[in-house]
Amino acid sequence: MLTDPATMAPHAEDWRKRYRGKPLAVVFPANPEEVAAVVRLAGECHIGLVPQGGNTGLSGGATPDDSGRQVVLSLQRLRALRAIDPINRTITVEAGMTLAQVQTEAEARGLLFPLSLGAEGSATIGGNLATNAGGTAVLRYGNARELCLGLEVVTAQGEIWSGLRGLRKDNTGYDLRDLFIGSEGTLGIITAAVLKLYPQPAAIMTALARVASPTAALELLQFAQQRAGAMLTGFEYMAAMSTRLVAAHLGAVAKPCLQIIGDTRDGVGPQAADTVLIELSHPESESAAKEALETLLGHAITQGWVEDALVAQSGAQSAAFWRLRESITLAAAADGPHVKHDIALPISSLPAFIAAMDEELEQRYPGIRIINFGHFGDGNLHYNLAPPTLEGNPDTDTRRAHYLEFLGLHEDAIRRAVHDRVMAMQGSISAEHGLGQLRRDEARHYKSAVEISLMVSIKHALDPLGILNPGKVLCLDQSLPGDRS
Amino acid sequence: MLTDPATMAPHAEDWRKRYRGKPLAVVFPANPEEVAAVVRLAGECHIGLVPQGGNTGLSGGATPDDSGRQVVLSLQRLRALRAIDPINRTITVEAGMTLAQVQTEAEARGLLFPLSLGAEGSATIGGNLATNAGGTAVLRYGNARELCLGLEVVTAQGEIWSGLRGLRKDNTGYDLRDLFIGSEGTLGIITAAVLKLYPQPAAIMTALARVASPTAALELLQFAQQRAGAMLTGFEYMAAMSTRLVAAHLGAVAKPCLQIIGDTRDGVGPQAADTVLIELSHPESESAAKEALETLLGHAITQGWVEDALVAQSGAQSAAFWRLRESITLAAAADGPHVKHDIALPISSLPAFIAAMDEELEQRYPGIRIINFGHFGDGNLHYNLAPPTLEGNPDTDTRRAHYLEFLGLHEDAIRRAVHDRVMAMQGSISAEHGLGQLRRDEARHYKSAVEISLMVSIKHALDPLGILNPGKVLCLDQSLPGDRS
């Protein structure tokens, strides 16, 4: 247990340093029984508990408030591999094991745990499940939810629910597993999980394709799904501005991809274009994978959807393509502050959304830079907006001050415009990052009274004292069980 | 609205005629608003409502009790196709649409709705979701749960929750969708759903393979998943006794399969063997599918897992293979009364379970006939037991009386033995048929107090008056929210 503010500091704020709290203490139970004991004590003392895994969340879901009345409950010490069954293709791990370690354990048995995301080296499986993490393999394998067969959870009463079933079919009552998954620690504390493993594909092939437009990207996606079926395991979209920023701030990363993304060495190259990263996993062989990918892209070029494409000739080139995609966030951060979104839409609506949204924002904020990229195949875009650049070549401080001023004036209106359009098109304002603190009130703004009321009823039923991650997902002061209007 | 007992009769009992109730009335609302009005009225009058779709359930979940205080709420008239989006690959349908009709609507757009089960001509999509139906395509596409993206539900307060989202990613609060799915109408009444569609595979190929043992079947499954990945769309197991019954009672159905299942014309043929029906769906072509299946079976024969195999040479032959599998239930019914189970196990445990269970039952009940078949690839067996046959050739009535006597004496002990072993091996006593009335108390017998308590808390929170499908899934008299011991 830590109580010294200095040693507690890393647990008191999120890694992006957007939220900082004042925890009463940070505790490190070693097993589910100790987690249960902490929960019972918290119930007796009416102390809020904030479960924390790798602390890599993007919505402040694992950061305590500044009341000094919340205890951070770290799951770090629960990191045992409880069991692995290569024939049932399941692995049972404790919540504090990192995602990368789960991947490694699977690989060591010739198997694949397909969940994959930027923070996987630090993010824990407990946090992945609590937030129903997405990532780059959702297209084929689903979100964290779809990769979990069973859970062990400490309830708000400090009891241990043992639901560690490794079954593909089980219809014996309410789906408690899926209720806890994605509830961000507000209904129970996940201490262990049974996860699904898959056979390792014989070969994984990637290609980078320059597409004419979001509509062309959608045509390519449709065709690829028709022709490759479940072998299509990745389909990432990068609008021109995203890769242009990588070229400007991380030139070495962009270099191997310039043939496709456009010659953007000066940051404004006229040939800069929208790009798609496509990944195919084949169960048979590398040559079969390559042939399938080349046939597919050949047809797309004939159809005019793709203007130019590069099939990776080696693992290194494939890694270079992925690095381009994964460096966009870093490049945007290097460029300066911007407004982030994590939206989802019906896949069929992506081109119409992008066209209308781009136009609206460009009209209202001339010069605004639209850093639009993401998991196109899942309908999930990180539609981020950076302030217009300044004329001339101002120094860093001047530029930053200008950006901050722009955001101070417009961030709320931009967010409202984006989310309003997303909701009008039956989308989601949080596709894969959860609500935490960041999107809690925004979700409340858009959700129906019926939905909020159902959520509040469930929260009160499972955590009547409100000790589990208070203030996350739901603000209980806003709606009480009687408030069903 | 019906109130006459004669006209209500088809709604008052389940199709297998195991449960019969005395409904106060049967009502047929035409839209979600009318469903909501009925629910509000039921709340005011403290009347129980029993939602009913195609009335094809196997656990009595849609049959009212005999109190005369329950109203059957039929969803039959809610059968509109609300929307179809071939590019997003989603279809939005009302709860009363039959599963077969959903399949047909998808097919008409060149798409596939993969949920597939025997009763699909009458079973409704609302019932499929309420019970989280399984069927023959779970191996590749998942249960009904995995095929649903959004729901519209009438709550116990008679409000309409509009959760008809067609999104692959949405992390904005508790997973209400999955809570309602599989809750058998006890938490809310599903009135419409957004379902996932898939591209039609270019070719579907089936084969019938005689396997040396359940262990050999498991080896074949492992290898097929490794080599065919997501192209493996069916893997059904039929122990010798299952196909022997088809040969005995439905000779014409068995005939095209005799080469594989054994020459069982006299019902006791020594060559009768365990069989696997394997199905491959290929996104490219028929020849590619055939080649993949033949390569796979060739290797399995070399390895000794498969003794003989027949790859279907036509759609008709493929249909004949499936008819064999789907006729087992009918053949067993023609043979006489028997004990049915719907169990699931970790796939790795299937051979050990079958060996130990068969041995235990054969020792305790010499001559007992084990009709073991099912969705082996999902770990789901219909491990059914028929009484020993009589010596000589008794007439039907004598045989039936003998069977019923045996079951009267032993059914409870047999069920306990099977379920005890299933639970000891971390399995499920209801893989795809739900609890309804049939397995409610059995589930209660095995579930932990913590799990029952969580379920009861949720039931009380969402349906405080207990008007939604009372007595199904949970018996509330057995456990109240305070009972957390």
Side-chain angles (χ1 to χ4, degrees):
Chain A
M1 179 162 102
L2 306 176
T3 53
D4 171 45
T7 52
M8 291 196 298
H11 300 278
E13 70 180 354
D14 69 315
W15 71 275
R16 290 203 294 168
K17 302 190 191 303
R18 294 185 59 135
Y19 297 98
R20 178 177 297 174
K22 286 188 192 139
L24 180 62
V26 183
V27 296
F28 300 86
N31 53 51
E33 291 72 25
E34 289 187 12
V35 174
V38 170
V39 174
R40 288 195 299 273
L41 197 61
E44 285 164 26
C45 309
H46 284 253
I47 291 285
L49 289 176
V50 181
Q52 194 175 84
N55 198 14
T56 60
L58 294 166
S59 302
T63 312
D65 69 12
D66 56 7
S67 67
R69 297 277 303 162
Q70 297 189 339
V71 168
V72 173
L73 191 158
S74 168
L75 279 303
Q76 262 177 36
R77 289 174 67 206
L78 277 83
R79 54 185 171 213
L81 170 68
R82 294 249 192 109
I84 187 159
D85 180 343
I87 296 177
N88 194 41
R89 294 207 313 272
T90 46
I91 185 169
T92 308
V93 300
E94 289 188 340
M97 186 181 277
T98 65
L99 171 51
Q101 206 184 331
V102 179
Q103 294 166 345
T104 305
E105 296 287 356
E107 257 176 59
R109 276 83 173 180
L111 292 166
L112 171 74
F113 182 61
L115 190 67
S116 175
L117 40 90
E120 62 199 23
S122 315
T124 61
I125 209 69
N128 294 153
L129 290 167
T131 59
N132 186 23
T136 54
V138 175
L139 184 62
R140 161 65 182 102
Y141 300 101
N143 296 286
R145 178 184 304 292
E146 281 85 34
L147 296 171
C148 177
L149 292 175
L151 288 180
E152 177 187 86
V153 173
V154 171
T155 70
Q157 288 72 38
E159 296 176 306
I160 299 172
W161 172 55
S162 296
L164 289 175
R165 300 163 189 143
L167 304 172
R168 264 73 184 178
K169 284 181 169 176
D170 180 23
N171 272 338
T172 57
Y174 301 155
D175 185 9
L176 301 175
R177 176 192 66 200
D178 283 309
L179 188 59
F180 289 119
I181 294 175
S183 70
E184 305 187 34
T186 64
L187 299 179
I189 298 171
I190 295 171
T191 51
V194 183
L195 306 170
K196 274 193 215 173
L197 302 177
Y198 286 82
Q200 285 277 6
I204 298 178
M205 276 280 156
T206 59
L208 211 55
R210 189 191 315 162
V211 290
S213 64
T215 304
L218 183 56
E219 296 277 11
L220 175 60
L221 172 66
Q222 294 290 304
F223 181 70
Q225 292 193 303
Q226 179 68 47
R227 284 297 281 274
M231 290 186 284
L232 182 72
T233 47
F235 196 95
E236 299 287 315
Y237 173 77
M238 298 170 272
M241 181 59 73
S242 331
T243 51
R244 198 181 287 187
L245 282 176
V246 178
H249 296 281
L250 303 162
V253 172
K255 205 174 170 205
C257 309
L258 289 180
Q259 180 193 329
I260 303 302
I261 65 177
D263 186 354
T264 58
R265 275 165 300 178
D266 58 1
V268 288
Q271 302 116 302
D274 297 351
T275 317
V276 160
L277 196 171
I278 185 165
E279 184 189 89
L280 229 67
S281 300
H282 208 288
E284 282 167 24
S285 67
E286 193 162 312
S287 57
K290 197 168 176 182
E291 198 194 316
L293 191 51
E294 282 171 353
T295 307
L296 206 150
L297 289 168
H299 179 81
I301 288 173
T302 312
Q303 294 289 318
W305 307 326
V306 166
E307 295 168 350
D308 194 9
L310 210 55
V311 175
Q313 298 300 314
S314 64
Q317 197 176 10
S318 181
F321 293 171
W322 273 112
R323 203 172 307 120
L324 173 74
R325 164 63 184 84
E326 282 161 3
S327 298
I328 297 170
T329 304
L330 212 61
D335 182 76
H338 53 283
V339 193
K340 283 176 188 288
H341 298 99
D342 171 34
I343 59 175
L345 290 152
I347 292 161
S348 49
S349 303
L350 289 170
F353 172 83
I354 294 170
M357 198 75 246
D358 284 8
E359 193 191 343
E360 178 185 341
L361 293 173
E362 281 161 357
Q363 279 193 356
R364 285 172 60 177
Y365 309 101
I368 195 168
R369 292 172 302 153
I370 302 171
I371 312 165
N372 179 14
F373 66 100
H375 316 295
F376 195 92
D378 312 318
N380 177 196
L381 297 176
H382 300 301
Y383 190 88
N384 299 345
L385 287 315
T389 48
L390 278 177
E391 297 284 319
N393 200 2
D395 63 53
T396 310
D397 285 351
T398 311
R399 201 177 61 192
R400 192 175 165 80
H402 158 77
Y403 284 0
L404 287 173
E405 188 194 351
F406 178 91
L407 292 179
L409 283 172
H410 305 300
E411 177 163 0
D412 289 348
I414 290 172
R415 193 177 301 290
R416 179 63 62 228
V418 171
H419 285 172
D420 277 356
R421 190 177 292 275
V422 166
M423 293 308 289
M425 295 178 85
Q426 277 79 52
S428 169
I429 62 160
S430 187
E432 58 174 7
H433 297 166
L435 298 180
Q437 307 178 42
L438 178 66
R439 305 255 191 252
R440 183 194 69 184
D441 296 339
E442 194 74 354
R444 164 81 198 191
H445 174 79
Y446 289 108
K447 278 190 188 290
S448 68
V450 177
E451 186 159 338
I452 294 287
S453 169
L454 286 166
M455 286 172 57
V456 170
S457 298
I458 291 167
K459 171 69 176 174
H460 281 298
L462 297 194
D463 179 22
L465 300 174
I467 56 171
L468 295 180
N469 219 0
K472 312 296 163 45
V473 182
L474 280 171
C475 181
L476 292 178
D477 303 338
Q478 293 174 326
S479 174
L480 294 165
D483 169 24
R484 290 190 176 274
S485 56
Chain B
M1 177 162 102
L2 306 176
T3 53
D4 171 44
T7 54
M8 291 196 299
H11 300 278
E13 69 180 355
D14 70 315
W15 71 275
R16 288 202 295 165
K17 303 188 190 303
R18 294 185 57 135
Y19 297 97
R20 178 177 295 177
K22 286 189 193 140
L24 180 62
V26 184
V27 296
F28 300 86
N31 53 51
E33 291 72 24
E34 288 187 11
V35 174
V38 170
V39 173
R40 288 195 301 271
L41 197 61
E44 286 165 25
C45 309
H46 284 253
I47 291 286
L49 290 175
V50 181
Q52 194 175 84
N55 198 14
T56 59
L58 294 166
S59 302
T63 312
D65 69 12
D66 57 7
S67 67
R69 298 277 303 161
Q70 297 190 339
V71 168
V72 173
L73 191 158
S74 168
L75 279 304
Q76 263 177 32
R77 288 174 68 205
L78 277 83
R79 53 186 170 211
L81 171 68
R82 296 251 191 109
I84 186 159
D85 181 342
I87 296 176
N88 194 41
R89 295 208 312 274
T90 46
I91 185 168
T92 308
V93 301
E94 289 188 341
M97 186 181 277
T98 64
L99 172 50
Q101 205 184 331
V102 179
Q103 293 166 346
T104 305
E105 296 287 357
E107 256 176 60
R109 278 82 175 178
L111 292 166
L112 171 74
F113 182 62
L115 190 67
S116 176
L117 41 89
E120 61 198 23
S122 316
T124 62
I125 209 69
N128 294 153
L129 290 167
T131 59
N132 186 25
T136 55
V138 174
L139 184 61
R140 160 67 181 100
Y141 300 101
N143 296 285
R145 180 184 302 292
E146 282 86 32
L147 296 170
C148 177
L149 292 175
L151 288 181
E152 177 187 85
V153 173
V154 172
T155 68
Q157 289 71 40
E159 297 177 306
I160 300 172
W161 171 55
S162 297
L164 289 176
R165 300 164 189 141
L167 304 172
R168 264 74 184 177
K169 283 181 170 176
D170 180 23
N171 271 338
T172 57
Y174 301 154
D175 185 8
L176 302 175
R177 176 191 66 202
D178 283 309
L179 188 59
F180 289 119
I181 294 175
S183 70
E184 305 187 33
T186 63
L187 299 179
I189 298 172
I190 295 171
T191 51
V194 183
L195 305 170
K196 275 193 215 172
L197 302 176
Y198 285 83
Q200 285 276 8
I204 299 179
M205 277 280 155
T206 59
L208 212 54
R210 189 191 316 164
V211 291
S213 64
T215 303
L218 183 57
E219 297 275 11
L220 175 60
L221 172 67
Q222 294 290 303
F223 181 69
Q225 292 193 304
Q226 179 69 46
R227 284 297 280 272
M231 292 186 283
L232 183 72
T233 47
F235 196 96
E236 300 287 315
Y237 172 77
M238 298 170 273
M241 180 60 72
S242 331
T243 51
R244 198 182 287 188
L245 282 177
V246 179
H249 297 279
L250 303 162
V253 171
K255 204 174 171 206
C257 309
L258 289 179
Q259 181 193 328
I260 303 302
I261 65 176
D263 186 356
T264 58
R265 276 165 300 179
D266 59 359
V268 289
Q271 300 118 302
D274 297 351
T275 317
V276 161
L277 196 171
I278 184 164
E279 184 189 87
L280 228 67
S281 300
H282 207 289
E284 283 166 24
S285 67
E286 194 163 311
S287 58
K290 197 167 175 184
E291 198 195 316
L293 191 50
E294 282 171 352
T295 306
L296 207 150
L297 289 167
H299 180 81
I301 288 173
T302 312
Q303 293 289 318
W305 307 326
V306 167
E307 294 168 350
D308 194 8
L310 210 53
V311 175
Q313 297 300 313
S314 65
Q317 197 175 12
S318 181
F321 293 170
W322 273 111
R323 203 170 309 120
L324 173 74
R325 164 64 183 81
E326 283 160 3
S327 299
I328 297 170
T329 304
L330 212 62
D335 182 76
H338 53 283
V339 193
K340 283 176 187 290
H341 299 100
D342 170 35
I343 59 175
L345 290 153
I347 293 162
S348 49
S349 303
L350 288 170
F353 171 83
I354 295 170
M357 197 76 247
D358 284 7
E359 194 191 342
E360 179 186 341
L361 292 173
E362 281 161 356
Q363 280 193 356
R364 284 173 60 179
Y365 310 100
I368 194 167
R369 290 172 302 152
I370 302 171
I371 312 167
N372 179 15
F373 65 101
H375 316 296
F376 195 92
D378 312 317
N380 177 194
L381 297 176
H382 300 302
Y383 191 88
N384 300 344
L385 286 315
T389 48
L390 279 177
E391 296 285 318
N393 200 3
D395 63 54
T396 310
D397 285 349
T398 311
R399 200 177 61 191
R400 193 174 165 79
H402 159 77
Y403 284 1
L404 287 174
E405 188 195 349
F406 179 90
L407 292 178
L409 283 173
H410 304 301
E411 177 164 0
D412 289 348
I414 290 172
R415 192 176 303 289
R416 180 62 61 230
V418 170
H419 285 172
D420 276 356
R421 190 177 292 274
V422 165
M423 293 307 290
M425 293 177 87
Q426 277 80 52
S428 168
I429 61 158
S430 187
E432 57 174 7
H433 297 167
L435 297 180
Q437 308 178 42
L438 178 67
R439 306 254 190 254
R440 183 194 69 183
D441 296 339
E442 194 74 353
R444 165 81 199 191
H445 175 78
Y446 289 109
K447 279 189 188 291
S448 68
V450 176
E451 186 159 338
I452 293 287
S453 170
L454 287 165
M455 286 173 57
V456 170
S457 298
I458 291 167
K459 171 70 176 174
H460 281 297
L462 298 193
D463 179 21
L465 300 175
I467 57 171
L468 296 180
N469 218 1
K472 312 296 163 48
V473 181
L474 279 171
C475 181
L476 292 178
D477 303 337
Q478 293 176 325
S479 174
L480 294 165
D483 168 24
R484 290 188 176 276
S485 56

